[in-house]
Amino acid sequence: MNLIFVNGSLGQAYPIQTEQAIDVAMNRWRENFSKSSVRINLNVSVISAELDGYDMLFDLSTENGYPGSLGGLFQTTSFIGKPNALNVFIVKSELQYGGVFGVSGGIPGPATLLGTKQSGIAVFVDAHRLFTNSGDLLTFDEQMLLGETLSHEAGHFLGLWHVTEATGDNGSIANKDPLRDTPTCHISNDFNFNGVMELNECLGGGGSDSGGKNMMFWSGAVGFTQGDITAEQGWILRLNPLVY
């Protein structure tokens, strides 16, 4: 894992740019990937990068290459990336939607290929704040959520889909993970009828009312851990060439 702290004219991604400064998040990521179903060790390097125009993203498209776009940010791996690592961009914030925790360049992403518009994952520090102000160090709980996001987006890059999409499982393969052992949350669990399968609606123990505790559930929350990873999910993760 190559952690890239993105700095620019709008300031720093994080006030202290070392692995130790986000050790709670990194330990959470390690804990998830060390589960018996996964067994992947993380080897981490860290750099700080001055990337004006990419320190606050206005466009999360990976199709556009102009400054400020996610695709343009991922293209910078051509000179700051590592080919045999997952390049992880730590970015201050995104403004296109507001509140996006992170995004992966692909499912799976282009392992070992640098300089493409999909060559990495990005996590947005300020989206994880509930108690702190922009520019402050994250609290323990906020870092725990950041660790869940890192695990989740890395899961996407290595080949995993959401166990259930936000609209819920309606029987279509497009709305859920195709793996046989992953939990799903059927649309009948939308108890408040808002059209979105929220975390608290998918915490059951059955085959059609669960998934909220899985690392690849579509959303997360401060103070809630999502470390469940099935055997087939672990198998997909270990098949990725970056693991070797």
Side-chain angles (χ1 to χ4, degrees):
M1 307 301 169
N2 183 32
L3 300 183
I4 305 167
F5 288 90
V6 178
N7 305 313
S9 58
L10 297 177
Q12 292 186 312
Y14 200 65
I16 301 176
Q17 302 189 352
T18 63
E19 181 184 353
Q20 292 72 29
I22 55 170
D23 63 339
V24 173
M26 295 303 299
N27 288 338
R28 182 59 189 155
W29 188 0
R30 284 191 171 91
E31 182 180 357
N32 283 344
F33 273 38
S34 68
K35 297 289 175 66
S36 60
S37 58
V38 185
R39 302 187 310 276
I40 294 175
N41 295 323
L42 301 188
N43 297 312
V44 180
S45 61
V46 180
I47 66 170
S48 296
E50 296 298 323
L51 297 172
D52 283 347
Y54 296 106
D55 49 333
M56 187 176 294
L57 299 185
F58 297 88
D59 173 19
L60 297 187
S61 169
T62 56
E63 299 302 318
N64 301 314
Y66 55 84
S69 76
L70 183 65
L73 177 65
F74 289 156
Q75 284 182 313
T76 67
T77 53
S78 62
F79 58 91
I80 62 173
K82 291 189 174 183
N84 296 320
L86 171 55
N87 292 289
V88 181
F89 290 88
I90 311 295
V91 185
K92 186 179 181 66
S93 63
E94 59 82 24
L95 297 181
Q96 182 173 8
Y97 301 106
V100 172
F101 288 157
V103 63
S104 170
I107 308 175
T112 76
L113 296 179
L114 301 180
T116 80
K117 296 175 184 177
Q118 288 79 36
S119 293
I121 68 173
V123 295
F124 304 106
V125 174
D126 283 358
H128 295 80
R129 298 184 185 280
L130 183 63
F131 314 108
T132 57
N133 297 315
S134 182
D136 294 341
L137 295 174
L138 296 178
T139 66
F140 179 91
D141 284 341
E142 291 168 343
Q143 279 209 42
M144 285 289 285
L145 180 60
L146 178 62
E148 301 289 359
T149 300
L150 289 164
S151 303
H152 180 99
E153 299 305 334
H156 278 320
F157 196 90
L158 297 180
L160 295 181
W161 294 83
H162 291 155
V163 289
T164 302
E165 295 298 340
T167 50
D169 175 15
N170 63 3
S172 170
I173 191 64
N175 293 321
K176 60 182 179 180
D177 184 310
L179 299 178
R180 295 169 298 178
D181 66 348
T182 48
T184 64
C185 194
H186 193 264
I187 55 175
S188 60
N189 294 290
D190 182 18
F191 301 123
N192 60 6
F193 303 104
N194 68 348
V196 177
M197 302 313 304
E198 297 171 357
L199 184 59
N200 63 356
E201 295 172 325
C202 300
L203 297 177
S208 62
D209 64 348
S210 56
K213 297 177 183 179
N214 192 277
M215 183 181 77
M216 299 310 297
F217 191 69
W218 75 272
S219 71
V222 169
F224 188 81
T225 56
Q226 294 168 298
D228 289 358
I229 306 171
T230 70
E232 290 193 4
Q233 285 178 313
W235 175 67
I236 293 294
L237 293 173
R238 290 193 303 275
L239 285 176
N240 194 282
L242 287 180
V243 175
Y244 302 96

